[in-house]
Amino acid sequence: MRGSAPADGDRLRWLPKAELHCHIEGAAMPALAIRQAERYGIDLSDILEAENYRWHDFTSFLAGYDRVSTAFRTEEDFALLAGDHLARLSACGTLYAEIFVSPDHARAAGLDAKAYVAGLAEGMRQAEAQSGIVSRMIVVGVRHLGAEVVETAAEFAARCAHPLVTGFGLAGDERQGRPRDFARAFDIARDAGLGLTAHAGELCAHEAVAETLDALRPERLGHGVRAAESPDLVSRIVEAGIVLEVCPGSNLALGLYPDLAAHPLRALHQAGAKVTVNADDPPFFATSLANEYRLAAEQGFSEAELVGLTRTAIEAAFVDAATRRQLLDRLQLAALRLGAPAAPA
Ligand code: ADE
Ligand code: ZN
């Protein structure tokens, strides 16, 4: 094992963190969703379970996600949601966070895409003023809504010219449609200079990961973990420097792997892949970003290697060069303060 001693419990709380993969509506904590639902006369009681949400498979998870989304309807609601999420992240040492934003979910709740982004941006601005946490938005298209809808999301991302919208991605049910169906959407986003990421290798096997790389040419993959089933594909990912937005807690909750020991995060890292850890939809999967770092530590990542995960995330962040430099400087300082300089990523 490279780096320093294994990370221990409480020190993880102060470890500098970064997150690249979290769906904003999926980050709505039940306490906030209940208040919103009461305001709009919505009943979410059948999917609430203490501090988390109840669902039984991927399809019912997506349905629950859609229902929680309808409890956020105005610019102010989304400012509140982004602020709540980022405050929670900054309280566990997070320096940088990207959020997936879905204009289609906002539209279904009655809000147009521009107002949705403006509301989220206001919450992000306030969070940065309060705690220093830097954040950006990645507009996602929902693949099970079809290629045309995803292209409309890409066109919005390309044209909105909002300084905090820096990426485009593909989310939704990976079992529907083929990667090539979304090539035009990715071309639109690429031509606009946006960073690109696509969910792949979560519900579908390694062939879907290869197809996604071929058809969409993203620089990052959401999940991508099932690439571990193919040594050739892992080599390709390592050689191409593709960054994996790994979400171990989400994968375990959805039953992709029977237990943490079977999860390929550590093996992918040891094979030389650039990996990061992320909470995906925290209260849906009873997790948090701090818990994802804890899972990595349980798999054997040393403190220095955990800081290395954060460095990989900042290096792959969809930000300009000056912001990246500042974040890397802040990371170095925070790691030195902790006495855990980053191991080589
Ligand atoms: N949308 C929200 N969470 C998702 C996930 N884990 N996979 C695909 N689409 C999503
Ligand atoms: Zn996701």
Side-chain angles (χ1 to χ4, degrees):
M1 199 193 342
R2 281 189 316 220
S4 63
D8 79 55
D10 232 22
R11 284 171 64 83
L12 277 178
R13 172 134 198 259
W14 305 110
L15 192 108
K17 303 177 182 74
E19 181 166 61
L20 301 181
H21 187 127
C22 185
H23 304 258
I24 192 62
E25 290 85 359
M29 296 304 282
L32 176 60
I34 290 167
R35 283 200 301 277
Q36 290 290 125
E38 278 169 2
R39 174 180 308 168
Y40 294 119
I42 304 168
D43 183 10
L44 294 176
S45 56
D46 58 313
I47 57 166
L48 291 167
E49 193 167 84
E51 286 169 24
N52 299 304
Y53 298 104
R54 191 184 306 139
W55 47 270
H56 57 272
D57 58 12
F58 189 76
T59 303
S60 67
F61 151 67
L62 283 181
Y65 184 104
D66 289 350
R67 283 183 58 202
V68 170
S69 301
T70 64
F72 296 87
R73 300 184 173 184
T74 66
E75 274 190 55
E76 292 72 30
D77 292 347
F78 283 103
L80 200 65
L81 175 56
D84 186 67
H85 171 59
L86 294 171
R88 192 167 293 102
L89 283 180
S90 72
C92 76
T94 307
L95 304 174
Y96 178 74
E98 283 175 14
I99 56 175
F100 288 135
V101 307
S102 168
D104 292 298
H105 281 88
R107 209 167 287 120
L111 189 66
D112 76 73
K114 233 176 135 192
Y116 172 59
V117 161
L120 290 165
E122 178 56 21
M124 293 159 72
R125 192 194 60 72
Q126 286 174 13
E128 185 165 348
Q130 276 162 18
S131 69
I133 188 167
V134 174
S135 58
R136 296 289 186 268
M137 286 178 260
I138 299 174
V139 169
V140 290
V142 180
R143 70 186 286 161
H144 55 265
L145 298 181
E148 259 182 54
V149 174
V150 173
E151 281 164 30
T152 303
E155 270 156 15
F156 168 73
R159 280 207 314 259
C160 76
H162 194 291
L164 298 185
V165 171
T166 55
F168 177 73
L170 183 63
D173 192 335
E174 190 188 354
R175 298 166 297 190
Q176 302 202 29
R178 300 297 292 266
R180 64 172 173 270
D181 301 340
F182 308 100
R184 184 157 181 276
F186 274 68
D187 286 343
I188 292 166
R190 184 180 296 105
D191 289 349
L194 295 168
L196 300 176
T197 178
H199 282 62
E202 178 189 23
L203 302 175
C204 297
H206 63 92
E207 293 88 350
V209 177
E211 257 187 66
T212 300
L213 292 175
D214 291 340
L216 307 182
R217 294 181 286 130
E219 53 245 56
R220 299 187 344 212
L221 287 170
H223 303 282
V225 282
R226 295 199 55 191
E229 296 159 7
S230 159
D232 285 350
L233 181 56
V234 172
S235 300
R236 175 180 175 185
I237 284 170
V238 172
E239 275 155 34
I242 302 291
V243 173
L244 303 180
E245 304 157 1
V246 184
C247 310
S250 161
N251 299 157
L252 292 172
L254 284 166
L256 268 60
Y257 303 99
D259 53 33
L260 183 61
H263 192 283
L265 171 69
R266 184 79 182 143
L268 286 163
H269 181 262
Q270 280 173 327
K274 293 184 181 182
V275 298
T276 63
V277 289
N278 307 273
D280 205 4
D281 303 279
F284 282 90
F285 302 132
T287 190
S288 64
L289 184 58
N291 187 55
E292 300 299 325
Y293 275 81
R294 201 169 301 124
L295 293 174
E298 277 175 36
Q299 273 209 337
F301 281 74
S302 69
E303 252 183 22
E305 287 171 328
L306 295 177
V307 175
L309 296 176
T310 305
R311 197 178 69 190
T312 299
I314 293 174
E315 283 171 350
F318 295 153
V319 290
D320 58 87
T323 305
R324 193 183 321 283
R325 188 68 265 153
Q326 281 168 13
L327 287 165
L328 287 170
D329 288 348
R330 284 175 59 191
L331 172 62
Q332 197 182 5
L333 207 68
L336 280 173
R337 216 177 281 135
L338 192 75

